[in-house]
Amino acid sequence: MNIDAKIAWVEDRDEDLFVPEVKTWQFTHPLVVVPEGDSGFSYYSPGDQFLPPGSAPWQNEGVTALIGESVRSSFIAIPFSASSKNRTNRGVTMELTDDLEPVATVTERCTGHAARRYRLMIHEATATEKTDEIKKHLKERFGEAEIDSLVYENSDSAHLPFRMTYRLSYPSLDGSIAGDRFMLKPLEFLQKAENPFTAQERQNAIVLD
């Protein structure tokens, strides 16, 4: 098999970004790049078992990389991966108890970086610790909600979507009855969750594709 693979030295956009004017080594670790088409590349991080093939870790997306070759070296910009490759899809079935307490069965399907986040979160834990860690993450998202009956699959393979199903009950959820319908406030969970943006100024640009 003849693959024209090259080493690309990159840095972490969580830390210091590359400054061309500074004539010193600014790169932190390598990726493998393979030419693709006339001018593009596909990216691989062999040491990351949860990263889909052909992808760069999210902290290396959007940064400058140095490709070193025997004849000449060149700089490339690692592109951001498309949002379609990093999706979280949720399906929800909701019912009311006799006490008009809403109970939802939620199914999540994650791909790309969204799936990698869960896999990295639990990969060194025991089965019980994995369940507890995922529940803790969900509690941070849903606040006072009670979470049980958690089942997950594909936690060890980057080639398959990470899936999980859980039961979500929210005793203090605000709502009102209108005929045979139970009306909920829009964005109820987001309103009660803590603001995830704590910095006074934006550190990284928002990229929309």
Side-chain angles (χ1 to χ4, degrees):
M1 183 178 294
N2 186 15
I3 299 177
D4 185 21
K6 307 176 188 298
I7 297 295
W9 290 94
V10 296
E11 58 187 344
D12 191 328
R13 64 175 161 140
D14 269 357
E15 299 174 359
D16 297 324
L17 295 181
F18 176 71
V19 181
E21 292 76 18
V22 177
K23 306 303 181 183
T24 187
W25 187 258
Q26 302 176 55
F27 304 100
T28 55
H29 61 281
L31 290 178
V32 176
V33 298
V34 177
E36 188 175 74
D38 294 334
S39 57
F41 293 93
S42 56
Y43 303 88
Y44 299 86
S45 182
D48 193 328
Q49 68 187 92
F50 301 127
L51 191 67
S55 307
W58 74 266
Q59 62 265 36
N60 301 133
E61 293 182 346
V63 305
T64 298
L66 171 65
I67 298 180
E69 300 186 60
S70 58
V71 178
R72 62 182 178 84
S73 298
S74 58
F75 292 105
I76 61 171
I78 297 181
F80 291 94
S81 57
S83 59
S84 59
K85 295 182 178 181
N86 306 291
R87 284 184 173 170
T88 297
N89 299 100
R90 297 185 182 93
V92 181
T93 301
M94 182 172 286
E95 56 187 30
L96 294 177
T97 66
D98 293 339
D99 297 326
L100 298 181
E101 195 175 285
V103 177
T105 300
V106 184
T107 301
E108 291 194 24
R109 177 184 184 275
C110 306
T111 59
H113 294 316
R116 177 176 179 262
R117 176 187 59 182
Y118 278 112
R119 289 170 175 141
L120 287 175
M121 183 191 306
I122 64 176
H123 80 284
E124 292 184 341
T126 65
T128 300
E129 291 170 342
K130 288 179 180 180
T131 299
D132 291 343
E133 193 65 30
I134 294 175
K135 283 185 176 181
K136 178 182 176 182
H137 175 76
L138 295 174
K139 287 282 288 184
E140 292 174 354
R141 183 196 304 166
F142 295 117
E144 302 171 6
E146 298 176 4
I147 298 163
D148 57 29
S149 303
L150 173 66
V151 178
Y152 59 88
E153 58 181 327
N154 302 335
S155 62
D156 297 323
S157 174
H159 299 276
L160 298 171
F162 177 85
R163 299 175 185 269
M164 62 180 173
T165 301
Y166 51 91
R167 191 170 179 269
L168 182 71
S169 58
Y170 207 93
S172 61
L173 196 64
D174 295 328
S176 59
I177 298 175
D180 59 351
R181 298 182 179 181
F182 186 74
M183 312 297 289
L184 299 175
K185 288 183 179 180
L187 304 178
E188 176 76 19
F189 295 120
L190 289 179
Q191 290 178 10
K192 294 187 177 183
E194 294 184 7
N195 188 342
F197 303 103
T198 57
Q200 296 298 317
E201 297 182 1
R202 188 182 309 285
Q203 303 297 316
N204 298 306
I206 295 177
V207 179
L208 303 176
D209 56 30

